[in-house]
CSV table of all heavy atoms in Angstrom, one decimal:
chain,number,residue,atom,x,y,z
A,386,MET,N,-1.4,39.2,-40.8
A,386,MET,CA,-1.0,39.5,-42.2
A,386,MET,C,-2.2,40.0,-43.0
A,386,MET,O,-2.0,40.9,-43.9
A,386,MET,CB,-0.4,38.2,-42.9
A,386,MET,CG,1.0,37.9,-42.3
A,386,MET,SD,2.2,39.2,-42.5
A,386,MET,CE,2.7,39.0,-44.2
A,387,ASP,N,-3.3,39.4,-42.8
A,387,ASP,CA,-4.5,39.9,-43.5
A,387,ASP,C,-4.8,41.3,-43.2
A,387,ASP,O,-5.0,42.2,-44.1
A,387,ASP,CB,-5.7,39.0,-43.2
A,387,ASP,CG,-5.6,37.6,-43.7
A,387,ASP,OD1,-4.8,37.4,-44.7
A,387,ASP,OD2,-6.3,36.7,-43.2
A,388,THR,N,-4.8,41.6,-41.9
A,388,THR,CA,-5.0,43.0,-41.5
A,388,THR,C,-3.9,43.9,-42.1
A,388,THR,O,-4.2,45.0,-42.5
A,388,THR,CB,-4.9,43.1,-39.9
A,388,THR,OG1,-5.7,42.0,-39.4
A,388,THR,CG2,-5.4,44.4,-39.4
A,389,MET,N,-2.7,43.4,-42.1
A,389,MET,CA,-1.6,44.3,-42.6
A,389,MET,C,-1.8,44.6,-44.1
A,389,MET,O,-1.6,45.8,-44.5
A,389,MET,CB,-0.3,43.5,-42.4
A,389,MET,CG,0.9,44.4,-42.6
A,389,MET,SD,2.5,43.5,-42.5
A,389,MET,CE,2.3,42.6,-41.1
A,390,LEU,N,-2.2,43.6,-44.8
A,390,LEU,CA,-2.5,43.9,-46.2
A,390,LEU,C,-3.5,45.0,-46.4
A,390,LEU,O,-3.4,45.9,-47.2
A,390,LEU,CB,-2.9,42.6,-47.0
A,390,LEU,CG,-3.0,42.8,-48.5
A,390,LEU,CD1,-1.8,43.3,-49.1
A,390,LEU,CD2,-3.4,41.5,-49.1
A,391,GLN,N,-4.6,44.9,-45.5
A,391,GLN,CA,-5.6,45.9,-45.6
A,391,GLN,C,-5.1,47.3,-45.3
A,391,GLN,O,-5.5,48.3,-45.9
A,391,GLN,CB,-6.7,45.6,-44.6
A,391,GLN,CG,-7.6,44.4,-45.0
A,391,GLN,CD,-8.6,44.0,-43.9
A,391,GLN,OE1,-9.0,44.9,-43.0
A,391,GLN,NE2,-9.0,42.8,-43.8
A,392,SER,N,-4.2,47.3,-44.3
A,392,SER,CA,-3.5,48.6,-43.9
A,392,SER,C,-2.8,49.2,-45.1
A,392,SER,O,-2.9,50.3,-45.4
A,392,SER,CB,-2.6,48.4,-42.8
A,392,SER,OG,-3.3,48.0,-41.6
A,393,VAL,N,-2.0,48.3,-45.8
A,393,VAL,CA,-1.2,48.7,-46.9
A,393,VAL,C,-2.1,49.3,-48.0
A,393,VAL,O,-1.9,50.4,-48.5
A,393,VAL,CB,-0.4,47.6,-47.5
A,393,VAL,CG1,0.3,48.0,-48.8
A,393,VAL,CG2,0.7,47.1,-46.5
A,394,VAL,N,-3.2,48.6,-48.3
A,394,VAL,CA,-4.1,49.0,-49.3
A,394,VAL,C,-4.8,50.3,-48.9
A,394,VAL,O,-5.0,51.2,-49.8
A,394,VAL,CB,-5.1,47.9,-49.6
A,394,VAL,CG1,-6.3,48.4,-50.5
A,394,VAL,CG2,-4.5,46.7,-50.3
A,395,LYS,N,-5.1,50.5,-47.6
A,395,LYS,CA,-5.7,51.7,-47.2
A,395,LYS,C,-4.8,52.9,-47.5
A,395,LYS,O,-5.2,54.0,-48.0
A,395,LYS,CB,-6.0,51.7,-45.7
A,395,LYS,CG,-7.3,51.0,-45.4
A,395,LYS,CD,-7.7,51.1,-43.9
A,395,LYS,CE,-8.8,50.1,-43.6
A,395,LYS,NZ,-8.8,49.7,-42.2
A,396,ILE,N,-3.5,52.7,-47.2
A,396,ILE,CA,-2.6,53.8,-47.4
A,396,ILE,C,-2.4,54.1,-48.9
A,396,ILE,O,-2.5,55.2,-49.3
A,396,ILE,CB,-1.2,53.5,-46.8
A,396,ILE,CG1,-1.2,53.1,-45.4
A,396,ILE,CG2,-0.3,54.7,-47.0
A,396,ILE,CD1,0.1,52.7,-44.8
A,397,GLU,N,-2.3,53.0,-49.6
A,397,GLU,CA,-2.2,53.2,-51.1
A,397,GLU,C,-3.4,53.9,-51.7
A,397,GLU,O,-3.3,54.8,-52.5
A,397,GLU,CB,-2.0,51.8,-51.8
A,397,GLU,CG,-0.6,51.2,-51.5
A,397,GLU,CD,-0.5,49.8,-52.0
A,397,GLU,OE1,-1.6,49.2,-52.4
A,397,GLU,OE2,0.6,49.3,-52.1
A,398,ASN,N,-4.6,53.5,-51.2
A,398,ASN,CA,-5.8,54.2,-51.7
A,398,ASN,C,-5.8,55.6,-51.3
A,398,ASN,O,-6.3,56.5,-52.1
A,398,ASN,CB,-7.1,53.5,-51.2
A,398,ASN,CG,-7.3,52.1,-51.9
A,398,ASN,OD1,-6.7,51.9,-52.9
A,398,ASN,ND2,-8.1,51.3,-51.3
A,399,ALA,N,-5.4,55.9,-50.1
A,399,ALA,CA,-5.4,57.3,-49.7
A,399,ALA,C,-4.4,58.2,-50.6
A,399,ALA,O,-4.8,59.3,-51.0
A,399,ALA,CB,-5.0,57.4,-48.2
A,400,CYS,N,-3.3,57.6,-50.8
A,400,CYS,CA,-2.3,58.3,-51.7
A,400,CYS,C,-2.9,58.5,-53.1
A,400,CYS,O,-2.7,59.5,-53.7
A,400,CYS,CB,-1.0,57.6,-51.7
A,400,CYS,SG,-0.1,57.5,-50.2
A,401,PHE,N,-3.5,57.4,-53.5
A,401,PHE,CA,-4.1,57.5,-54.9
A,401,PHE,C,-5.2,58.6,-54.9
A,401,PHE,O,-5.2,59.4,-55.9
A,401,PHE,CB,-4.7,56.1,-55.2
A,401,PHE,CG,-5.7,56.1,-56.3
A,401,PHE,CD1,-5.3,56.0,-57.6
A,401,PHE,CD2,-7.1,56.2,-56.0
A,401,PHE,CE1,-6.3,56.0,-58.6
A,401,PHE,CE2,-8.0,56.1,-57.0
A,401,PHE,CZ,-7.6,56.0,-58.4
A,402,SER,N,-6.0,58.6,-53.9
A,402,SER,CA,-7.1,59.6,-53.9
A,402,SER,C,-6.5,61.0,-54.0
A,402,SER,O,-7.1,61.8,-54.7
A,402,SER,CB,-7.9,59.5,-52.6
A,402,SER,OG,-8.7,58.4,-52.6
A,403,VAL,N,-5.5,61.2,-53.2
A,403,VAL,CA,-4.9,62.6,-53.2
A,403,VAL,C,-4.4,62.9,-54.6
A,403,VAL,O,-4.6,64.0,-55.1
A,403,VAL,CB,-3.8,62.7,-52.2
A,403,VAL,CG1,-3.0,64.0,-52.4
A,403,VAL,CG2,-4.4,62.6,-50.8
A,404,ARG,N,-3.7,62.0,-55.2
A,404,ARG,CA,-3.2,62.3,-56.6
A,404,ARG,C,-4.3,62.5,-57.6
A,404,ARG,O,-4.2,63.4,-58.4
A,404,ARG,CB,-2.4,61.1,-57.0
A,404,ARG,CG,-1.1,61.1,-56.4
A,404,ARG,CD,-0.1,60.3,-57.2
A,404,ARG,NE,1.1,60.2,-56.4
A,404,ARG,CZ,2.2,59.8,-56.8
A,404,ARG,NH1,2.4,59.5,-58.1
A,404,ARG,NH2,3.2,59.7,-56.0
A,405,VAL,N,-5.2,61.6,-57.6
A,405,VAL,CA,-6.2,61.7,-58.6
A,405,VAL,C,-7.2,62.8,-58.4
A,405,VAL,O,-7.5,63.5,-59.4
A,405,VAL,CB,-7.0,60.4,-58.7
A,405,VAL,CG1,-8.3,60.5,-59.5
A,405,VAL,CG2,-6.1,59.3,-59.2
A,406,ARG,N,-7.6,63.0,-57.2
A,406,ARG,CA,-8.6,64.0,-56.9
A,406,ARG,C,-8.0,65.4,-56.5
A,406,ARG,O,-8.7,66.3,-56.3
A,406,ARG,CB,-9.5,63.6,-55.8
A,406,ARG,CG,-10.3,62.3,-56.2
A,406,ARG,CD,-11.2,61.9,-55.2
A,406,ARG,NE,-11.6,60.6,-55.3
A,406,ARG,CZ,-12.1,59.8,-54.3
A,406,ARG,NH1,-12.2,60.3,-53.1
A,406,ARG,NH2,-12.4,58.6,-54.6
A,407,GLY,N,-6.7,65.4,-56.3
A,407,GLY,CA,-6.0,66.6,-55.8
A,407,GLY,C,-6.5,67.9,-56.6
A,407,GLY,O,-6.9,68.8,-55.9
A,408,SER,N,-6.5,67.8,-57.9
A,408,SER,CA,-6.8,69.0,-58.6
A,408,SER,C,-8.3,69.3,-58.5
A,408,SER,O,-8.7,70.4,-58.8
A,408,SER,CB,-6.4,68.9,-60.1
A,408,SER,OG,-7.2,67.8,-60.6
A,409,GLU,N,-9.1,68.3,-58.1
A,409,GLU,CA,-10.5,68.6,-58.0
A,409,GLU,C,-10.8,69.2,-56.7
A,409,GLU,O,-11.9,69.7,-56.5
A,409,GLU,CB,-11.3,67.3,-58.1
A,409,GLU,CG,-11.2,66.6,-59.5
A,409,GLU,CD,-11.8,65.2,-59.5
A,409,GLU,OE1,-12.3,64.8,-58.4
A,409,GLU,OE2,-11.6,64.5,-60.5
A,410,TYR,N,-9.8,69.1,-55.8
A,410,TYR,CA,-10.1,69.7,-54.5
A,410,TYR,C,-10.2,71.2,-54.5
A,410,TYR,O,-10.9,71.8,-53.6
A,410,TYR,CB,-9.0,69.3,-53.5
A,410,TYR,CG,-9.1,67.8,-53.0
A,410,TYR,CD1,-8.0,67.1,-52.6
A,410,TYR,CD2,-10.3,67.2,-53.0
A,410,TYR,CE1,-8.1,65.8,-52.2
A,410,TYR,CE2,-10.4,65.9,-52.6
A,410,TYR,CZ,-9.3,65.2,-52.2
A,410,TYR,OH,-9.4,63.9,-51.7
A,411,ILE,N,-9.5,71.8,-55.4
A,411,ILE,CA,-9.5,73.3,-55.4
A,411,ILE,C,-10.9,73.9,-55.6
A,411,ILE,O,-11.3,74.7,-54.8
A,411,ILE,CB,-8.5,73.8,-56.4
A,411,ILE,CG1,-7.1,73.4,-55.8
A,411,ILE,CG2,-8.5,75.3,-56.5
A,411,ILE,CD1,-6.0,73.3,-56.8
A,412,PRO,N,-11.6,73.4,-56.6
A,412,PRO,CA,-13.0,73.9,-56.8
A,412,PRO,C,-13.8,73.6,-55.5
A,412,PRO,O,-14.8,74.3,-55.2
A,412,PRO,CB,-13.6,73.2,-58.0
A,412,PRO,CG,-12.5,72.5,-58.6
A,412,PRO,CD,-11.3,72.5,-57.7
A,413,LEU,N,-13.6,72.5,-54.9
A,413,LEU,CA,-14.4,72.1,-53.7
A,413,LEU,C,-13.9,72.8,-52.5
A,413,LEU,O,-13.5,72.3,-51.6
A,413,LEU,CB,-14.3,70.6,-53.5
A,413,LEU,CG,-14.6,69.6,-54.6
A,413,LEU,CD1,-14.2,68.2,-54.2
A,413,LEU,CD2,-16.1,69.7,-54.9
A,414,LEU,N,-14.1,74.2,-52.6
A,414,LEU,CA,-13.7,75.0,-51.5
A,414,LEU,C,-14.4,74.6,-50.2
A,414,LEU,O,-15.6,74.5,-50.2
A,414,LEU,CB,-13.9,76.4,-51.8
A,414,LEU,CG,-13.1,77.0,-53.0
A,414,LEU,CD1,-13.5,78.4,-53.3
A,414,LEU,CD2,-11.6,76.8,-52.7
Side-chain angles (χ1 to χ4, degrees):
Chain A
M386 288 303 278
D387 291 338
T388 312
M389 197 185 308
L390 184 58
Q391 287 173 28
S392 296
V393 171
V394 169
K395 278 185 195 154
I396 307 177
E397 287 174 346
N398 286 343
C400 293
F401 163 83
S402 290
V403 168
R404 282 206 191 192
V405 165
R406 297 183 198 155
S408 63
E409 294 167 7
Y410 283 154
I411 293 158
L413 303 170
L414 297 176

